[in-house]
């Protein structure tokens, strides 16, 4: 446990053993304030995903060290933990333990990194050192399906914003100037990181327009089926000797046929829309971490899987277009030979 030193050089154990009447008022106020004060909090949200390598984490720790060297630090504890895929966690109580880890032996991908600096600083107008906590989280924005749980279980709107961020820096502070300095250090470090290469071209269009594409397929397919029914109507009437003149019987038949065709179109449209919606959801995106062996393997899998899904969607789309062209072309050919 970290010892807290009073102005006269006595530790807290000695202070607690001293009768209350012998403690001067200033010392009592300092101890009471230190043990009961609620620190203020300042948060900076990072909305953009950046590339994080092992060297970047060490660089961030060095920058924080350099900034703290400009202040009188009494105690300093640094810890870091990783949330990995497959429900795995790695926690390091000290920076030395983290440095000894060989990340080439880790086959899981990294989902989130949380770094914490617990610091006590000697400040003007404070008899006892004051605790400051710097926290940095990178990655692991909460999935949308878990949003409702947070909305109903949390009374703090800020928690919802924090959970959706791609990263953040948070400082619990007594001194506002120090908090601003630490926020700036982390923000400058984050600004200097490389941006994640987002998918471009075909995949980007599908991702951004997913809702409209799925809706268009579901709604247009029944219309296309009705169009085919209309194109084949005259051909079928001539072939089977059905009168084209409008009467109650022909109207009833037309309504029944169109209703049947429209229902088939709705069914086919929904099947196609759900299929392409699932395929677009299966696209993988870079986590932003390039640290473990699992991270590197994931990049190879990402490219292969995305290319496979892209080929399936393109192939299905081409097949649908060809089927439509064949359906229309067949009508023209049949009409030509039957009328010849």
């Amino acid at each position: 446990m970290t010892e807290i030193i009073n102005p006269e050089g006595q530790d807290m154990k000695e202070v607690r053993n001293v009768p209350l009447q012998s403690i001067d008022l200033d010392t009592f106020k300092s101890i009471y304030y230190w043990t009961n004060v609620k620190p203020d909090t300042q948060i900076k949200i990072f909305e953009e995903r950046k590339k994080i390598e092992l060297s970047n984490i060490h660089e961030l720790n060095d920058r924080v060290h350099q900034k703290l060297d400009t202040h009188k630090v009494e105690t300093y504890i640094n810890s870091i933990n990783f949330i990995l895929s497959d429900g795995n966690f790695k926690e390091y109580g000290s920076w030395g333990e983290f440095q000894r880890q060989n990340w080439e032996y880790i086959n899981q991908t990294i989902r989130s990194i949380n770094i914490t600096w617990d610091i006590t600083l000697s400040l003007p107008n404070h008899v006892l050192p004051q605790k400051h906590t710097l926290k940095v989280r990178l990655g692991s924005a909460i999935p949308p399906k878990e949003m409702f749980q947070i909305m109903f279980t949390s009374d703090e709107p800020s928690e919802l914003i924090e959970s959706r961020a791609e990263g953040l820096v948070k400082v619990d502070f007594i001194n506002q100037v120090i908090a601003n300095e630490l926020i700036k250090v982390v923000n400058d470090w984050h600004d200097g990181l490389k941006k994640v290469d987002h998918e471009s071209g075909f995949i980007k269009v599908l991702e951004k327009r997913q809702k409209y594409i799925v809706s268009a397929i579901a709604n247009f397919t029944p219309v296309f089926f009705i169009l085919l029914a209309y194109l084949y109507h005259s051909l079928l009437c001539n072939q089977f000797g059905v009168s084209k003149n409008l009467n109650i019987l022909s109207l009833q038949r037309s309504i029944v046929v169109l209703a049947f065709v429209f229902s088939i179109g709705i069914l086919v449209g929904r099947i196609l829309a759900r299929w392409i919606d699932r395929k677009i959801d299966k696209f993988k995106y870079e986590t932003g971490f390039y640290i473990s062996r699992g991270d590197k393997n994931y990049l190879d899998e990402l490219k292969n899987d995305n290319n496979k899904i892209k080929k399936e969607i393109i192939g299905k789309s081409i097949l649908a277009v060809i089927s439509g062209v064949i359906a229309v072309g067949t009508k023209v050919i049949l009409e030509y030979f039957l009328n010849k």
Side-chain angles (χ1 to χ4, degrees):
M1 181 181 293
T2 303
E3 293 185 346
I4 304 169
I5 308 300
N6 72 1
E8 288 73 34
Q10 295 175 302
D11 62 29
M12 291 299 295
K13 293 180 180 179
E14 295 175 350
V15 173
R16 283 197 295 267
N17 293 329
V18 176
L20 184 61
Q21 293 83 353
S22 62
I23 300 177
D24 63 273
L25 184 58
D26 289 337
T27 302
F28 176 78
K29 288 181 178 179
S30 297
I31 296 173
Y32 181 83
Y33 181 76
W34 196 93
T35 55
N36 291 280
V37 68
K38 176 177 173 58
D40 296 321
T41 299
Q42 184 169 333
I43 301 174
K44 167 70 176 178
I45 298 293
F46 300 135
E47 297 181 353
E48 191 172 17
R49 186 174 298 182
K50 296 293 188 74
K51 292 183 177 181
I52 308 294
E53 299 179 1
L54 195 60
S55 59
N56 299 132
I57 299 177
H58 290 298
E59 178 192 350
L60 174 61
N61 189 52
D62 291 340
R63 290 195 182 199
V64 173
H65 263 290
Q66 293 174 7
K67 176 52 63 177
L68 293 176
D69 284 343
T70 62
H71 301 280
K72 189 177 181 182
V73 179
E74 301 295 344
T75 62
Y76 178 92
I77 300 175
N78 191 3
S79 60
I80 181 171
N81 67 72
F82 295 79
I83 299 177
L84 308 175
S85 59
D86 302 326
N88 293 290
F89 298 84
K90 279 194 170 293
E91 298 185 359
Y92 304 91
S94 66
W95 200 260
E97 290 295 327
F98 162 65
Q99 289 178 314
R100 282 192 284 270
Q101 175 67 60
N102 188 339
W103 289 95
E104 287 297 318
Y105 296 160
I106 307 300
N107 295 322
Q108 293 81 27
T109 57
I110 296 174
R111 301 301 186 198
S112 175
I113 302 176
N114 297 274
I115 314 174
T116 303
W117 291 265
D118 286 316
I119 315 150
T120 53
L121 302 169
S122 291
L123 304 174
N125 304 321
H126 292 273
V127 178
L128 295 176
Q130 299 301 313
K131 182 179 180 181
H132 292 68
T133 302
L134 171 64
K135 297 180 180 180
V136 175
R137 176 175 68 77
L138 302 166
S140 190
I142 190 170
K145 62 182 179 181
E146 298 180 15
M147 287 285 289
F148 287 103
Q149 182 179 355
I150 293 182
M151 290 173 62
F152 287 110
T153 58
S154 175
D155 295 329
E156 296 294 334
S158 59
E159 291 185 12
L160 189 60
I161 299 175
E162 292 176 29
S163 63
R164 288 297 298 151
E166 291 292 345
L168 61 86
V169 52
K170 179 178 181 180
V171 180
D172 296 329
F173 64 93
I174 301 298
N175 186 283
Q176 179 69 65
V177 175
I178 295 176
N180 292 337
E181 291 177 351
L182 293 175
I183 292 284
K184 187 176 186 305
V185 167
V186 179
N187 188 62
D188 290 344
W189 169 81
H190 190 267
D191 287 342
L193 297 174
K194 296 179 180 179
K195 297 180 180 179
V196 168
D197 297 327
H198 295 286
E199 293 289 352
S200 57
F202 183 70
I203 295 179
K204 186 176 181 180
V205 171
L206 290 178
E207 180 193 11
K208 293 184 67 175
R209 307 296 180 184
Q210 179 176 356
K211 181 175 66 175
Y212 302 104
I213 293 172
V214 171
S215 179
I217 292 174
N219 294 320
F220 179 75
T221 303
V223 176
F224 179 73
F225 272 64
I226 292 293
L227 177 62
L228 287 180
Y230 172 76
L231 291 176
Y232 277 89
H233 178 262
S234 60
L235 178 64
L236 293 174
C237 288
N238 293 334
Q239 184 66 21
F240 295 102
V242 179
S243 175
K244 296 182 181 179
N245 297 326
L246 183 63
N247 53 52
I248 296 177
L249 182 60
S250 63
L251 179 61
Q252 289 176 340
R253 288 176 178 175
S254 299
I255 292 175
V256 171
V257 171
L258 291 177
F260 177 75
V261 171
F262 190 75
S263 298
I264 295 297
I266 290 176
L267 179 61
V268 174
R270 287 178 177 176
I271 293 174
L272 292 176
R274 289 173 182 172
W275 181 85
I276 197 168
D277 191 39
R278 288 194 299 268
K279 287 298 180 180
I280 295 175
D281 287 337
K282 286 183 179 179
F283 279 125
K284 295 181 178 179
Y285 304 95
E286 292 188 33
T287 61
F289 297 112
Y290 305 84
I291 297 175
S292 68
R293 178 180 291 273
D295 293 333
K296 299 170 185 176
N297 293 337
Y298 175 78
L299 285 178
D300 295 333
E301 294 175 3
L302 179 149
K303 294 176 182 178
N304 293 332
D305 291 346
N306 283 358
N307 286 333
K308 181 179 179 180
I309 295 172
K310 182 168 64 174
K311 289 178 181 178
E312 289 180 3
I313 293 176
I314 293 175
K316 186 78 74 173
S317 301
I318 293 175
L319 181 62
V321 172
I322 292 176
S323 299
V325 172
I326 291 175
V328 175
T330 301
K331 183 263 180 182
V332 176
I333 295 173
L334 287 175
E335 195 172 46
Y336 172 78
F337 283 104
L338 291 175
N339 294 331
K340 189 173 181 181

